[in-house]
Amino acid sequence: MRLKKFRPKESRDKLVYGDGIVEGIVLLAVAEIPYAEIYRGVIGKRLPENAVKVVIDKSNVSIDVEVSIHFSQSVSDMAFKIQEAVKYNVESMTDYSVISVNVIVKGVTFEDVPVNGHEQNGEDKQNSDGAENGNGKTDKADEKGSNK
């Protein structure tokens, strides 16, 4: 009878992320940024398969993301914001270290996007019940102040 020595295998606890986890985190990070969205192309509103590319090498991640940016925004500023948001979200939600985030601006959007409840062109809608008029004062307060 032969006896074998029992050698416990070195087992490290591992956390394995699914294929689409990092891609989903990137989609959420871009969705948080005003005036930017994932590029959807001209054909339809469906998200293209290649809008987000993730390459994972051991614990390092390289990300390519294709976006559309609103025409009123600076492309370089928006690209930097997207890079920072993607890097922060991926590193804080996973154990991966982000090596690079490549932002490819593939489109420009021209829709009117409300900014904090105000219209894009800076003109605020006024109503007769004392709504704000853009300078922080109400219409009724201006009427009282102008009679003095």
Side-chain angles (χ1 to χ4, degrees):
M1 187 157 121
R2 188 169 190 185
L3 296 174
K4 291 184 180 180
K5 287 187 177 181
F6 177 70
R7 294 183 191 166
K9 293 181 181 179
E10 288 185 28
S11 63
R12 294 182 183 173
D13 295 334
K14 291 184 180 181
L15 179 61
V16 179
Y17 299 100
D19 294 338
I21 295 296
V22 176
E23 185 175 323
I25 294 170
V26 171
L27 293 173
L28 288 172
V30 173
E32 291 177 352
I33 300 172
Y35 302 110
E37 62 183 20
I38 296 294
Y39 179 72
R40 297 189 185 277
V42 180
I43 297 172
K45 293 289 184 183
R46 227 179 87 219
L47 187 66
E49 295 290 325
N50 57 356
V52 177
K53 296 175 188 170
V54 177
V55 178
I56 301 172
D57 179 37
K58 296 184 181 178
S59 64
N60 298 323
V61 178
S62 180
I63 300 166
D64 295 344
V65 60
E66 297 177 352
V67 297
S68 292
I69 295 177
H70 194 264
F71 76 95
S72 66
Q73 302 300 306
S74 166
V75 173
S76 59
D77 290 344
M78 292 300 293
F80 181 74
K81 288 178 186 178
I82 292 168
Q83 286 176 324
E84 291 295 309
V86 167
K87 181 176 179 174
Y88 174 78
N89 283 336
V90 170
E91 287 182 346
S92 66
M93 293 182 190
T94 66
D95 294 332
Y96 293 134
S97 174
V98 177
I99 294 174
S100 67
V101 177
N102 300 312
V103 178
I104 300 110
V105 180
K106 299 236 5 200
V108 178
T109 58
F110 294 98
E111 294 113 21
D112 289 333
V113 180
V115 181
N116 298 329
H118 302 291
E119 290 188 18
Q120 179 68 24
N121 60 8
E123 295 176 8
D124 295 329
K125 292 182 180 178
Q126 297 178 359
N127 66 32
S128 60
D129 61 354
E132 278 192 15
N133 63 7
N135 61 3
K137 298 178 182 177
T138 62
D139 292 333
K140 290 184 179 178
D142 286 344
E143 290 173 11
K144 291 177 184 175
S146 62
N147 291 336
K148 288 184 180 181

